[in-house]
Amino acid sequence: MIRRPVDSGDPDRLYTVTGGRTRADEQAFDLVTLIVRESGPTPGMQSELVRILQLSERPVAVVELASLLDLPVGVVKILLCDLLDTGRITARHPQSSGRGRQLPPPETLKKVLLALQNL
Amino acid sequence: MPSRTSDPEDPAAPAAPALSGRPLRDTARDGLKIVVVGGFGVGKTTLVGSVSEIRPLSTEEVMTQAGVGIDDREGVRTKTTTTVAFDFGRITLDDEMVLYLFGAPGQERFWFLWDRLFAGTLGAVVLVDTRRLADSWYAIDRLEHHGLPFVVARNNFDEPTHSLEQVRAALSLNPDVPLLDCDARKRESSRDVLVALVRHLHSLSHALEPTP
Ligand SMILES: Nc1nc2c(ncn2[C@@H]2O[C@H](COP(=O)(O)OP(=O)(O)OP(=O)(O)O)[C@@H](O)[C@H]2O)c(=O)[nH]1
Ligand SMILES: [Mg+2]
């Protein structure tokens, strides 16, 4: 595993990565929102954005990106907002969860159950 | 000076991190979540790892909380931040659904952050070690408080010395909370725990469906 010399909790570094911004719409991303790139990196793009685009050629969850980039989830969400705004990625938000305390419909749970039984 | 260990000509830039294990299918579009909770060292990471299709990964989230001492005159809320580390794995269920399993941090001081960190979770697995049953009281209490459905799995480090009924009584578990034995190191056993949870969720969702 490649460990970059990133102190992911270091405020200075986090400030640099996000340009000191916070975003209200980062809440839109769930830990398991799946990210897919729409176009590849361009020259001069911030290295973290390049890495996200490299990793999202196939769908990849927000939490996986955070782990692979060795950055806190919240920082990755801010970077994803930028990529979403510029149309470089699309986000597939969870459909069966993230609806408060509500359980998914029985048909969905039945599908999950069958899939697990066949593992 | 024939030292080749720190050759400055070496390209310093690391390659892009490789996705561990297989990538998701192009059609994947629905992420689901289950959390695994329980006391310190009870086998949460082991369970996630044994059933996951990828090597378990870890990451962290910085959680912000409005502080208790709010200074109204200054209009400034004191905020405290806590960095919560957790691990996770995943299981591709079908072309569209992917289940993510989260190993919640064992330290009790993080558990007040659960509902935000794992919002939208389907349900929870509470792992218990019968040598330290008291470690799981807190987890069960929090889950009941949040109304998150759960099953309890006894991870047997040694030959069990109590019956499951004794464990149920010691934990004051509601009779309809499923309780089963497992070996978190074994894939089939960990899968069976997840099956028990989803079966429980399925029957709960049936009970909640409005009857036409
Ligand atoms: N004998 C035996 N050992 C186990 C079993 N499950 C886990 N272990 C071992 O117990 C230790 C702790 O397991 P972990 O999976 O790291 O526990 P954890 O709950 O993730 O621990 P924390 O995250 O630190 O709270 C590891 O050394 C495991 O190999 C089991 O069923 N039997
Ligand atoms: Mg662990």
Short mmCIF file of all heavy atoms in Angstrom, two decimals, chain B residues 39-46 86-87 103-106, ligand 2:
data_model
loop_
_atom_site.label_atom_id
_atom_site.label_comp_id
_atom_site.label_asym_id
_atom_site.label_seq_id
_atom_site.Cartn_x
_atom_site.Cartn_y
_atom_site.Cartn_z
N GLY B 39 -17.72 -3.94 21.63
CA GLY B 39 -16.63 -3.47 22.48
C GLY B 39 -15.27 -3.58 21.80
O GLY B 39 -15.13 -4.17 20.73
N PHE B 40 -14.30 -3.04 22.46
CA PHE B 40 -12.92 -3.03 22.01
C PHE B 40 -12.40 -4.45 21.75
O PHE B 40 -12.54 -5.33 22.60
CB PHE B 40 -12.08 -2.34 23.08
CG PHE B 40 -10.70 -2.01 22.66
CD1 PHE B 40 -10.47 -0.97 21.77
CD2 PHE B 40 -9.62 -2.74 23.14
CE1 PHE B 40 -9.19 -0.66 21.36
CE2 PHE B 40 -8.34 -2.43 22.73
CZ PHE B 40 -8.12 -1.39 21.84
N GLY B 41 -11.86 -4.67 20.55
CA GLY B 41 -11.19 -5.94 20.26
C GLY B 41 -12.10 -7.15 20.16
O GLY B 41 -11.64 -8.29 20.29
N VAL B 42 -13.38 -6.94 19.89
CA VAL B 42 -14.32 -8.06 19.90
C VAL B 42 -14.36 -8.81 18.56
O VAL B 42 -14.95 -9.88 18.46
CB VAL B 42 -15.73 -7.54 20.31
CG1 VAL B 42 -16.40 -6.78 19.19
CG2 VAL B 42 -16.61 -8.66 20.82
N GLY B 43 -13.71 -8.23 17.54
CA GLY B 43 -13.64 -8.92 16.24
C GLY B 43 -14.36 -8.21 15.10
O GLY B 43 -14.65 -8.81 14.07
N LYS B 44 -14.64 -6.93 15.26
CA LYS B 44 -15.37 -6.17 14.24
C LYS B 44 -14.62 -6.15 12.91
O LYS B 44 -15.17 -6.46 11.85
CB LYS B 44 -15.62 -4.74 14.72
CG LYS B 44 -16.42 -4.65 16.01
CD LYS B 44 -16.60 -3.21 16.49
CE LYS B 44 -15.32 -2.55 16.96
NZ LYS B 44 -14.80 -3.10 18.23
N THR B 45 -13.35 -5.76 12.97
CA THR B 45 -12.54 -5.68 11.75
C THR B 45 -12.37 -7.06 11.13
O THR B 45 -12.40 -7.21 9.91
CB THR B 45 -11.17 -5.06 12.08
OG1 THR B 45 -11.39 -3.77 12.67
CG2 THR B 45 -10.32 -4.90 10.83
N THR B 46 -12.25 -8.08 11.97
CA THR B 46 -12.11 -9.45 11.48
C THR B 46 -13.35 -9.87 10.71
O THR B 46 -13.27 -10.45 9.63
CB THR B 46 -11.87 -10.40 12.67
OG1 THR B 46 -10.72 -9.95 13.40
CG2 THR B 46 -11.63 -11.82 12.19
N PHE B 86 -12.51 4.66 11.09
CA PHE B 86 -13.31 3.44 10.98
C PHE B 86 -12.82 2.63 9.79
O PHE B 86 -12.13 3.15 8.92
CB PHE B 86 -14.81 3.76 10.85
CG PHE B 86 -15.15 4.69 9.72
CD1 PHE B 86 -15.52 4.17 8.48
CD2 PHE B 86 -15.11 6.06 9.87
CE1 PHE B 86 -15.85 5.03 7.43
CE2 PHE B 86 -15.43 6.92 8.83
CZ PHE B 86 -15.80 6.40 7.60
N ASP B 87 -13.15 1.34 9.79
CA ASP B 87 -12.77 0.55 8.63
C ASP B 87 -14.01 0.04 7.92
O ASP B 87 -15.11 0.08 8.45
CB ASP B 87 -11.77 -0.57 8.97
CG ASP B 87 -12.08 -1.26 10.28
OD1 ASP B 87 -13.27 -1.49 10.54
OD2 ASP B 87 -11.13 -1.55 11.02
N GLY B 103 -16.95 -1.08 10.14
CA GLY B 103 -16.55 -1.45 11.49
C GLY B 103 -16.45 -0.17 12.30
O GLY B 103 -15.55 0.64 12.09
N ALA B 104 -17.42 0.01 13.20
CA ALA B 104 -17.45 1.26 13.96
C ALA B 104 -16.31 1.26 14.98
O ALA B 104 -15.89 0.22 15.45
CB ALA B 104 -18.80 1.41 14.66
N PRO B 105 -15.81 2.43 15.31
CA PRO B 105 -14.75 2.50 16.30
C PRO B 105 -15.21 1.92 17.64
O PRO B 105 -16.35 2.11 18.05
CB PRO B 105 -14.45 3.99 16.42
CG PRO B 105 -15.49 4.71 15.68
CD PRO B 105 -16.23 3.75 14.83
N GLY B 106 -14.31 1.20 18.29
CA GLY B 106 -14.67 0.54 19.54
C GLY B 106 -14.74 1.47 20.73
O GLY B 106 -15.40 1.17 21.71
MG MG C 2 -11.25 -2.80 14.49
#
